[in-house]
Amino acid sequence: MEVCRHPKVLKRLCMNCGQMMDSKYGVAFDYLGRGLRLSYEEIARLKDTNSSKLLAEKKLQLVLDLDNTLLHSKLLKDLKPKEKYLKNQTDDMFMIEIGGKLVTIKLRPLVRNFLKEVSSMFEMYIYTMGSRDYAKHMAHLLGKDYFEKRVISRDDSINKEKKSLDLVLGHESGVIILDDNYKVWPDHHKNLILMKIFTYFSRSSKRKSRKKDKLSESDGNGVLPYILTVLREIHGMFFSPNMSRDVRMLLREIRGRILKGCIVFFVDVDENKYQPGISNQAEELGAECTTILDSSVTHVVVTARTKEITGDSVLWAQLEKKILVHPWWIYITYLLWHRQPEDKFPTLN
Ligand SMILES: [Mg+2]
Ligand SMILES: [Zn+2]
């Protein structure tokens, strides 16, 4: 039998001619309609038309992760006894029944304001490794008009370990991703703004919860105002004349100015403690990483002044009046898109 090449298939039936199709025809787009599959040509066509439409509206696209990016959730039954009182708080705290289980949810500080502001510049997607049911509830909580059908969950992607922009209807040159997980986007690092992990409830594991860090969001405004500033800047640049119309270039350009002129020397820093690697971060920020300790070095990055580990380089830095700084200086600068004052991040004694 001749197989048709019509663009849309719903529950294995061609939507044009009604013939039964292969279950692997094209790509599944369940988030747009349960059982919907689109041909590759149709996906390309939809990406083209949607991107053109958005350009005319002066909008880009923003793909938002949920967990630890916009909110932190935990099953009620997993809350520690000392946390149980939290469920009675009303401040950006919610309790929702999902699949027969009660889930407590804390929104990241200023998330509602953030979404409202970015919605005028971006068409927004939710993209989560959570279930479809969970994703729908969270979209509802955050404001479902922002997302309409654009809620992609674990149940909508073929690969459970990675996320892909294939399912987003627009050109990759106009898509920015906000996610706290670098590794789930192996093909789209250039589109990614890595988010500082937002946690509110203690971890379920027995591991001791981390000490309050320099940028705890349990009080204060947290990181979203910084991210909003970057998104505004990119949006403005994208739509100005003579600028690159590719957010990947713009992200790189803006990031590359932040530590321009810094020449950093690392002493015994655990490279992999910080995704995507602390020297990668420094380089993306425009700093130059060197392995030669000479007068051109501006910063000696070192966690602690332990003579046995750091050798003479710390002493040298002090004599030469170089800036001694903790790796957190780079890490937080990377996450906030804003050069941090070095004295806020001293090397440990
Ligand atoms: Mg996440
Ligand atoms: Zn057909």
Side-chain angles (χ1 to χ4, degrees):
M1 193 176 76
E2 189 86 8
V3 177
C4 77
R5 302 197 21 105
H6 286 133
K8 296 180 184 175
V9 174
L10 190 65
K11 304 201 165 131
R12 293 199 61 189
L13 297 176
C14 172
M15 288 170 78
N16 288 71
C17 67
Q19 77 164 284
M20 188 69 149
M21 306 293 281
D22 187 273
S23 64
K24 296 262 175 342
Y25 183 83
V27 178
F29 273 78
D30 287 285
Y31 78 89
L32 294 177
R34 204 67 73 84
L36 176 68
R37 297 186 75 92
L38 303 175
S39 69
Y40 292 98
E41 294 83 358
E42 178 66 359
I43 296 165
R45 192 188 67 81
L46 288 173
K47 284 187 184 234
D48 283 349
T49 48
N50 197 39
S51 280
S52 308
K53 184 195 90 169
L54 290 170
L55 280 181
E57 295 170 11
K58 282 202 164 31
K59 275 190 173 182
L60 297 168
Q61 290 174 303
L62 188 64
V63 173
L64 299 159
D65 172 49
L66 286 177
D67 295 310
N68 304 114
T69 293
L70 297 184
L71 51 89
H72 188 206
S73 69
K74 200 170 173 183
L75 289 176
L76 178 66
K77 71 173 179 55
D78 291 340
L79 287 188
K80 299 247 170 76
K82 65 174 188 331
E83 289 180 312
K84 295 280 188 200
Y85 79 95
L86 290 172
K87 70 179 188 210
N88 300 320
Q89 291 202 340
T90 49
D91 203 17
D92 280 341
M93 177 81 82
F94 301 87
M95 187 141 47
I96 296 178
E97 189 183 318
I98 303 172
K101 288 179 176 143
L102 283 169
V103 182
T104 44
I105 299 126
K106 176 74 176 179
L107 300 185
R108 189 165 207 157
L110 299 181
V111 114
R112 292 195 186 281
N113 175 66
F114 175 81
L115 293 174
K116 183 165 164 280
E117 295 292 320
V118 290
S119 66
S120 63
M121 301 179 281
F122 294 86
E123 179 186 75
M124 298 194 285
Y125 281 75
I126 282 175
Y127 199 146
T128 175
M129 288 299 196
S131 69
R132 178 177 292 137
D133 210 15
Y134 176 76
K136 289 251 162 85
H137 276 97
M138 295 306 114
H140 194 88
L141 184 62
L142 294 164
K144 76 175 183 328
D145 291 346
Y146 290 138
F147 308 104
E148 297 171 13
K149 287 190 164 188
R150 298 180 300 271
V151 178
I152 305 174
S153 69
R154 175 180 69 209
D155 302 317
D156 301 303
S157 59
I158 316 143
N159 188 324
K160 306 295 176 206
E161 258 94 68
K162 80 177 201 183
K163 297 180 179 179
S164 166
L165 292 182
D166 293 354
L167 292 176
V168 171
L169 294 178
H171 293 161
E172 289 171 17
S173 56
V175 186
I176 296 176
I177 303 161
L178 303 188
D179 202 313
D180 63 290
N181 191 334
Y182 187 83
K183 290 195 189 111
V184 290
W185 291 102
D187 307 322
H188 303 288
H189 287 157
K190 288 179 178 161
N191 299 75
L192 176 67
I193 292 182
L194 183 67
M195 295 294 288
K196 182 174 191 297
I197 294 176
F198 171 64
T199 53
Y200 185 78
F201 308 108
S202 63
R203 290 161 182 246
S204 325
S205 69
K206 292 218 169 55
R207 269 193 303 162
K208 255 207 281 184
S209 66
R210 279 184 304 170
K211 269 187 266 157
K212 234 176 131 173
D213 63 48
K214 294 256 185 224
L215 203 73
S216 166
E217 292 181 49
S218 54
D219 40 34
N221 293 337
V223 306
L224 288 178
Y226 293 92
I227 303 302
L228 180 58
T229 303
V230 178
L231 292 176
R232 281 208 181 101
E233 190 174 359
I234 290 167
H235 183 270
M237 286 166 85
F238 190 97
F239 289 105
S240 349
N242 308 321
M243 290 300 287
S244 165
R245 291 233 158 164
D246 188 330
V247 296
R248 294 166 292 195
M249 303 284 285
L250 296 171
L251 281 170
R252 197 175 73 179
E253 189 183 318
I254 295 172
R255 185 143 45 196
R257 290 187 212 138
I258 300 172
L259 291 185
K260 201 154 191 65
C262 297
I263 301 176
V264 297
F265 179 89
F266 291 98
V267 186
D268 191 49
V269 170
D270 183 0
E271 178 71 23
N272 299 316
K273 215 165 137 188
Y274 313 89
Q275 52 174 357
I278 199 78
S279 58
N280 276 330
Q281 288 179 1
E283 274 167 0
E284 284 184 35
L285 290 164
E288 193 186 313
C289 299
T290 181
T291 50
I292 302 158
L293 203 53
D294 65 18
S295 60
S296 70
V297 169
T298 59
H299 293 76
V300 175
V301 180
V302 53
T303 309
R305 300 169 197 243
T306 332
K307 181 99 178 30
E308 303 79 67
I309 304 166
T310 61
D312 291 333
S313 43
V314 168
L315 190 63
W316 176 88
Q318 284 168 317
L319 285 171
E320 297 290 315
K321 303 230 178 336
K322 301 296 183 186
I323 303 168
L324 270 175
V325 72
H326 192 279
W328 271 79
W329 172 65
I330 291 168
Y331 181 56
I332 300 299
T333 295
Y334 188 82
L335 293 171
L336 296 188
W337 291 71
H338 198 72
R339 181 167 172 167
Q340 299 297 298
E342 286 88 340
D343 57 11
K344 264 176 75 186
F345 300 94
T347 293
L348 306 172
N349 275 309

